[in-house]
Amino acid sequence: MQLCLRPTPLKPGDRLWVTMPSGPLRDPDPFHKGIEMWRDRGYQIDLSPSYKQQWAYLAGTDPKRRASLEQGLRDQRYRAILCGRGGYGGARLLETWKWPAVPEKWLIGFSDITSLLWSLAQTGISGVHGPVLTTLAQEPDWSVQRLFDWVEGRAIAPLKGAGWGGGRTTGKLLPANLTVATHLLGTAVQPDLSGVILAFEDVGEAPYRIDRMLTQWRMTGALQSIRGIALGRFSDCENPGEETVTETLRDRIGDLGIPIVADLPFGHQGANAALPVGVMAHLDGNQGSLEIDST
């Protein structure tokens, strides 16, 4: 099991690049509030000239969004890539593209950014599954501090949730939006899942659709070699008269015989605790905790 390299810690004064690899900017206010939070921390922020573009349900055409991402990666002035929002479209950038051979940089985002984070992890570089610019200002203080602590080189506290049993395990952490990760199965972007701890969240998916996705994970054999599952928030996923999300999750993964922790504070529409990608983590299904190895 090969862990990902944590990029050199950021420090105030560093220059960061803002890009929109997925959906278009809908409400500029939270976006600019997120930018100001990074600036207030002492960082220099440059926005991609194309950040306001829209093409159908995307923030510009694939070539333009890909070029913006690559510009931030290749320009040696930038130490990190901040994603403006999620939405849809990240995986489209990866069809005919490879990460340029440049010094490691931070990539920060979640939801649709899962595809980019998992693809970057295959190059051996750890990104951060954490708030995008349009959600950062909505985070509680502890979550904002957690994000800055991790990218600035400090340890972060364990997360507490509801343990479903299964004991304790250690593995490579792969956080993801469940829907996006499901659509990466069987593609070149799917990472080696042997020995990993999966961390899933989602939004707006009815229980039967969550069932369908997890059934696909089971039928592909993708869950056979994992060591544990951490579950975050599944927002707006309840349908009256159907099984609850918790019942669906227990039905589809509760028999795997591995540690599972639910109700962890990450995902949409609430505190979205930063989770590094591809680093060692410890999951305790009895105590209900997820701990990140900071070494």
Side-chain angles (χ1 to χ4, degrees):
M1 176 175 55
Q2 185 173 359
L3 299 177
C4 291
L5 174 67
R6 185 177 175 182
T8 303
L10 298 177
K11 60 183 185 302
D14 285 344
R15 188 175 293 273
L16 315 180
W17 178 251
V18 172
T19 189
M20 306 285 290
S22 303
L25 184 62
R26 292 174 177 167
D27 184 352
D29 288 343
F31 173 76
H32 289 292
K33 287 179 181 178
I35 291 172
E36 287 308 308
M37 291 178 70
W38 280 93
R39 286 179 171 154
D40 289 345
R41 189 79 180 183
Y43 291 97
Q44 301 181 67
I45 308 296
D46 288 349
L47 279 65
S48 168
S50 61
Y51 82 95
K52 291 183 178 179
Q53 290 192 358
Q54 180 169 354
W55 184 75
Y57 37 76
L58 303 168
T61 63
D62 292 346
K64 288 183 178 179
R65 295 187 346 273
R66 191 181 293 117
S68 174
L69 175 60
E70 189 161 356
Q71 182 177 349
L73 291 167
R74 291 190 180 278
D75 192 321
Q76 297 183 7
R77 295 176 299 167
Y78 300 121
R79 298 286 314 286
I81 311 294
L82 306 180
C83 296
R85 64 160 296 209
Y88 168 74
R92 291 174 57 127
L93 304 185
L94 302 170
E95 283 188 85
T96 58
W97 184 74
K98 293 184 179 180
W99 295 88
V102 296
E104 70 277 2
K105 297 185 179 186
W106 294 95
L107 174 68
I108 303 171
F110 82 115
S111 194
D112 190 63
I113 310 303
T114 293
S115 58
L116 301 179
L117 292 170
W118 277 26
S119 178
L120 180 63
Q122 291 211 69
T123 72
I125 305 300
S126 173
V128 180
H129 181 280
V132 291
L133 289 172
T134 53
T135 65
L136 183 59
Q138 303 164 22
E139 292 294 313
D141 291 344
W142 69 263
S143 176
V144 174
Q145 187 61 50
R146 177 185 176 90
L147 173 61
F148 285 127
D149 280 343
W150 184 255
V151 298
E152 292 175 354
R154 295 180 292 275
I156 52 179
L159 298 179
K160 295 292 291 183
W164 288 4
R168 180 179 171 87
T169 191
T170 296
K172 179 179 177 179
L173 184 65
L174 285 181
N177 174 269
L178 174 60
T179 298
V180 176
T182 300
H183 289 90
L184 299 178
L185 292 176
T187 72
V189 179
Q190 178 190 328
D192 181 2
L193 298 173
S194 301
V196 308
I197 295 172
L198 293 170
F200 285 143
E201 62 83 30
D202 220 321
V203 61
E205 297 290 346
Y208 80 89
R209 293 200 293 267
I210 294 172
D211 182 316
R212 182 168 59 198
M213 287 186 278
L214 292 173
T215 299
Q216 182 174 349
W217 280 79
R218 295 173 69 99
M219 294 182 70
T220 61
L223 298 178
Q224 292 180 358
S225 59
I226 68 170
R227 293 184 180 173
I229 299 178
L231 299 170
R233 194 175 304 101
F234 285 74
S235 309
D236 289 341
C237 290
E238 303 289 354
N239 266 1
E242 294 185 9
E243 278 193 328
T244 66
V245 171
T246 298
E247 290 170 335
T248 299
L249 291 168
R250 282 188 178 275
D251 176 55
R252 292 284 73 196
I253 62 175
D255 63 347
L256 296 177
I258 57 176
I260 298 175
V261 178
D263 300 330
L264 290 163
F266 70 92
H268 292 73
Q269 298 180 8
N272 187 21
L275 294 174
V277 180
V279 304
M280 191 66 77
H282 312 279
L283 188 71
D284 193 323
N286 297 334
Q287 298 298 318
S289 66
L290 173 63
E291 181 179 358
I292 307 301
D293 192 337
S294 60
T295 58

